[in-house]
Amino acid sequence: MPSDEEFENAETNLDKVNYKVDYVLSHCAPQSVIEYMYMGATESDKLTVWFENLQQRLDFKKWFFGHYHEDKKILDKYILLYDHIIRIK
């Protein structure tokens, strides 16, 4: 789990680029994506809730994550990776 300082550092750096990035690479997904994957409410934590808030403010092309040990495209912009390797251009 990131420390408060790491969350603040991320926000500071994202603010510098007006919350516009090409790609997000993370271990887990935003809370709403997790709930979509598992068709209902799931237990959240500080990081998945922060990602949930962040994804609503970010302008991004794709979000890659892998915690859930599957390979699946979710809601067009979210890519769950486990075995697959994707070239990012």
Side-chain angles (χ1 to χ4, degrees), residues 43-84:
E43 191 170 328
S44 64
D45 61 33
K46 184 177 179 180
L47 185 57
T48 61
V49 171
W50 184 74
F51 281 154
E52 179 64 28
N53 180 272
L54 179 64
Q55 61 115 8
Q56 295 172 19
R57 297 177 286 142
L58 272 181
D59 179 4
F60 66 97
K61 293 177 186 175
K62 298 285 183 196
W63 188 311
F64 299 94
F65 59 99
H67 175 77
Y68 311 96
H69 296 208
E70 293 182 68
D71 293 299
K72 184 187 288 187
K73 187 175 184 179
I74 302 161
L75 299 171
D76 200 41
K77 290 179 99 171
Y78 301 89
I79 311 294
L80 170 57
L81 294 174
Y82 184 60
D83 289 319
H84 289 164

Side-chain angles (χ1 to χ4, degrees), residues 5-19 50:
E5 292 81 19
E6 289 168 319
F7 281 116
E8 289 173 23
N9 185 48
E11 291 284 349
T12 297
N13 286 313
L14 288 167
D15 188 51
K16 289 177 185 177
V17 296
N18 296 316
Y19 288 82
W50 184 74

